[in-house]
Amino acid sequence: MARKHLVILQAAKRPELTRRLPLNSLRVFVAVADSQSFTHAADVLGVSVSAVSMQIRSLEQYLGVRLFRRSGRLVVPTSDALPLLPRIRDALFGLQHALEEGRAARGSGTLYISVLPSFATQWLAPRLKDFQARHPRLHLRVASSAAMDFHTTGMHAAIRLGGGGWPGVHHEVMLNEWLVPVCRPELFKKYGPVETPEDLKRYPLIHSTMESWNSWVTGMPDNYWPLDGLGLDDSAALVHAAVGGAGLALARWSLIGDELQDGKLTIASRKITPFARRYYFVCLPSTLHLKKVIALRDWLLEQAAAFPMPQLAQARRA
């Protein structure tokens, strides 16, 4: 009994620990600041605009300062709000992280990951059934995004295509990549194999803004985009256009596995180029020890190891 009384007294010495913090208002504050719109913030949070306005007014009364001002159609943080924003955002992230750690200790909870849209559609999505079967208590949330700011997005991990070397994060190679000329089988029968850049002139070409046909020769990323032919800035859309018969596409190997297996596409050249970019598993060092992040990492590396290389690449390695 005395020990219990002591705990109560100790809590009484720290009244700020028992004072009710306006946590919901703080979440709304960050959402409005990030979107610069009460309407967009309401959509993100799944509440009404009037509810957002009420939460902001309540927080302004609590803090004794004005938090937002109008700038055209946007609402922007005031000079009083700007110093608070990163500290509140980090605090909310830390609170979420602490709660998620508690749930992760039981092998359950929500797991947020960020993946490039094309990779999410073509490679990851068909494999997620296996992950769910193995980890039924983990609720995976996949955001199709190229952003890698874990503090502001709340993501636990990401899959990124690049050269590595990112500071402040843990990153390890997950999957190598190749550039492969592909087209419909009937187009290949009509125009024949492609062995040199000169052979490309026989085909209607599909171009990508990220992997131009120059990359097929060099293996390096290239933003060169020719004036002729069909140009697409989405790698998954490029694959779908090739399946539709629009022309010869230079596709990433990881994105065309199902289409090759189903016979919707065929490889049009013996020249399969190793790409200078690879897929990496990325997370903050502080989240690498979480059981749910470990489960995702191990599963991704297993799936990547089982994913076949191009046969010509295998022959060269042997």
Side-chain angles (χ1 to χ4, degrees):
M1 184 70 180
R3 184 176 180 180
K4 182 177 179 181
H5 181 65
L6 177 62
V7 172
I8 294 173
L9 288 178
Q10 287 175 338
K13 293 179 182 178
R14 298 283 303 278
E16 71 275 11
L17 294 180
T18 56
R19 183 178 180 182
R20 186 170 181 267
L21 293 174
L23 293 178
N24 198 39
S25 295
L26 295 176
R27 289 178 59 247
V28 173
F29 168 61
V30 172
V32 173
D34 288 344
S35 63
Q36 296 188 323
S37 166
F38 278 44
T39 301
H40 290 166
D43 290 340
V44 169
L45 296 170
V47 299
S48 66
V49 176
S50 60
V52 169
S53 298
M54 183 178 67
Q55 291 291 342
I56 293 301
R57 286 198 302 271
S58 174
L59 186 59
E60 286 178 334
Q61 293 173 359
Y62 182 90
L63 296 173
V65 297
R66 186 182 176 191
L67 296 174
F68 293 99
R69 60 179 177 82
R70 286 282 176 184
S71 179
R73 295 185 177 182
L74 302 177
V75 290
V76 297
T78 64
S79 58
D80 289 319
L82 281 174
L84 295 172
L85 181 59
R87 296 165 65 184
I88 292 174
R89 184 187 286 118
D90 289 347
L92 289 174
F93 176 80
L95 179 59
Q96 177 184 333
H97 179 61
L99 293 174
E100 290 293 341
E101 276 192 305
R103 297 186 69 184
R106 303 192 306 273
S108 64
T110 305
L111 178 57
Y112 294 91
I113 67 170
S114 170
V115 187
L116 293 176
S118 57
F119 193 76
T121 300
Q122 297 295 114
W123 193 90
L124 183 63
R127 293 168 169 79
L128 290 180
K129 181 180 178 181
D130 180 76
F131 182 83
Q132 290 178 303
R134 296 195 200 187
H135 304 284
R137 297 178 65 191
L138 281 178
H139 309 297
L140 193 61
R141 301 290 183 264
V142 181
S144 296
S145 169
M148 201 163 61
D149 189 341
F150 296 103
H151 291 289
T152 59
T153 62
M155 295 293 154
H156 294 103
I159 301 173
R160 286 292 170 265
L161 179 67
W166 299 291
V169 296
H170 167 84
H171 56 281
E172 57 186 303
V173 175
M174 189 184 98
L175 189 66
N176 290 319
E177 187 60 283
W178 292 265
L179 300 177
V180 188
V182 293
C183 64
R184 292 285 303 184
E186 52 267 33
L187 276 182
F188 180 70
K189 291 179 181 179
K190 180 177 180 179
Y191 295 111
V194 174
E195 303 299 339
T196 68
E198 190 69 18
D199 294 333
L200 297 176
K201 296 179 180 179
R202 298 197 306 269
Y203 278 86
L205 297 180
I206 307 175
H207 303 283
S208 166
T209 52
M210 297 305 296
E211 295 97 31
S212 76
W213 279 98
N214 284 347
S215 300
W216 180 52
V217 178
T218 65
M220 300 299 294
D222 192 342
N223 290 325
Y224 172 67
W225 198 352
L227 297 177
D228 59 340
L230 173 63
L232 297 164
D233 67 354
D234 183 284
S235 297
L238 177 137
V239 173
H240 294 167
V243 169
L248 181 70
L250 184 65
R252 299 204 299 269
W253 173 254
S254 64
L255 307 184
I256 56 174
D258 290 342
E259 287 74 13
L260 291 175
Q261 185 175 358
D262 295 342
K264 296 177 180 178
L265 291 177
T266 188
I267 298 175
S269 176
R270 292 182 299 176
K271 180 176 173 55
I272 296 176
T273 305
F275 196 27
R277 290 176 172 173
R278 298 183 287 181
Y279 289 100
Y280 287 79
F281 174 81
V282 187
C283 68
L284 291 174
S286 59
T287 60
L288 182 59
H289 71 283
L290 294 179
K291 288 184 178 180
K292 60 184 177 182
V293 173
I294 293 172
L296 174 67
R297 170 190 171 274
D298 291 348
W299 178 80
L300 285 171
L301 293 179
E302 177 188 312
Q303 295 294 313
F307 188 68
M309 297 187 300
Q311 290 184 357
L312 293 177
Q314 290 176 338
R316 290 193 187 102
R317 176 176 285 188

